[in-house]
Amino acid sequence: MYHPVIRKPDLRVGLLMGLLLGLSLLLLSACGGQGGQGEKEAKAAANKEIDNPLVGTWRRTRTCDDYVSQLRQAGLADKIPSHQEFVGEFGADNTQSGQDPDDPCAGIKEAPVAHDNVFYKNGRFAALDENGEFTDAGHYKVPNDHTIVWPPPSDPTDPWSTGPAVTAHFNFSNDHDTVKFDVVLPDNLDECSQLCRDVYGWGVIATYSERPWNHVPPEDQWPGEAS
């Protein structure tokens, strides 16, 4: 009698093979599901917005002497405003003798003047004087938890649109209620164009590392400052 070379599998062997195949498919399905979930979590983490610790209103005071000192220390003495501009910002002291060509703060009130910087959630930046008047506006970015960047204006008709970005590092104290900035100046500042020096002069005064900035609660903010 003829016997085929390939014999029919035993029933128990068939059941065992079927069970192993089922387990393999189940494991592959589980691994695929975990991989998909992991990929979704990675994408969600990548798309998550960086928590911006600067959002809010920050206030500090300054004097004419502070203003001049900051620019001189930065190597930007040529960007010190005129005596008349200082009178407009700080007021004239009628008890003093008057203007001194060697001292731009002669005849200027010595009382500190408040100044606010507002960082909005949408990346908008604004500055206000001691009367609550908006004196400056722009945009900013926070690439990490200790750096702020003011890019040049995007409007090509703005004279500063071709200038450099201003970068500063910041650190908090007093349970995040106080912050100090340290503007980053280029090594070749002396070789900068006038536009470049104008921009960095603004950066020195806007960040004002000589005095800390204090967080301003909503009840003490000027109208329109809400971030």
Side-chain angles (χ1 to χ4, degrees):
M1 185 176 179
Y2 177 76
H3 296 281
V5 176
I6 302 178
R7 299 176 58 188
K8 292 183 180 180
D10 184 86
L11 179 60
R12 289 174 297 178
V13 174
L15 290 174
L16 180 59
M17 291 178 64
L19 180 60
L20 290 174
L21 179 60
L23 288 173
S24 299
L25 291 174
L26 183 61
L27 288 173
L28 287 173
S29 176
C31 290
Q34 289 176 356
Q37 182 65 27
E39 186 177 352
K40 290 179 182 178
E41 291 176 355
K43 288 182 178 179
N47 294 330
K48 184 180 179 181
E49 291 186 6
I50 297 175
D51 186 26
N52 184 352
L54 284 176
V55 169
T57 297
W58 301 86
R59 181 173 297 162
R60 58 99 176 93
T61 60
R62 66 183 178 189
T63 65
C64 180
D65 287 332
D66 292 337
Y67 201 120
V68 171
S69 174
Q70 287 283 285
L71 289 172
R72 283 178 173 165
Q73 289 180 23
L76 292 163
D78 56 309
K79 297 306 168 186
I80 295 174
S82 67
H83 180 270
Q84 195 58 39
E85 288 175 301
F86 279 139
V87 169
E89 179 162 356
F90 297 99
D93 185 352
N94 297 325
T95 65
Q96 296 188 25
S97 58
Q99 186 174 351
D100 181 346
D102 297 324
D103 182 4
C105 293
I108 304 297
K109 288 183 177 179
E110 297 180 358
V113 172
H115 186 90
D116 289 5
N117 277 351
V118 188
F119 300 98
Y120 296 92
K121 292 180 181 179
N122 62 0
R124 190 165 62 89
F125 165 80
L128 293 87
D129 63 17
E130 75 279 9
N131 298 314
E133 299 291 335
F134 284 83
T135 60
D136 202 356
H139 291 83
Y140 74 99
K141 298 179 180 179
V142 178
N144 54 50
D145 63 359
H146 62 276
T147 305
I148 182 172
V149 178
W150 284 274
S154 57
D155 182 359
T157 64
D158 191 310
W160 282 26
S161 63
T162 58
V166 174
T167 299
H169 299 304
F170 58 86
N171 62 84
F172 293 97
S173 59
N174 193 26
D175 197 24
H176 274 64
D177 279 339
T178 302
V179 65
K180 289 194 72 174
F181 296 91
D182 184 17
V183 67
V184 179
L185 299 175
D187 294 334
N188 62 339
L189 186 60
D190 291 340
E191 302 172 10
C192 266
S193 65
Q194 284 304 309
L195 172 59
C196 171
R197 294 179 68 81
D198 285 341
V199 172
Y200 282 114
W202 173 88
V204 167
I205 298 305
T207 55
Y208 208 71
S209 62
E210 194 163 297
R211 291 179 185 270
W213 297 75
N214 298 308
H215 187 258
V216 182
E219 61 270 19
D220 293 333
Q221 295 176 10
W222 291 103
E225 276 191 325
S227 55

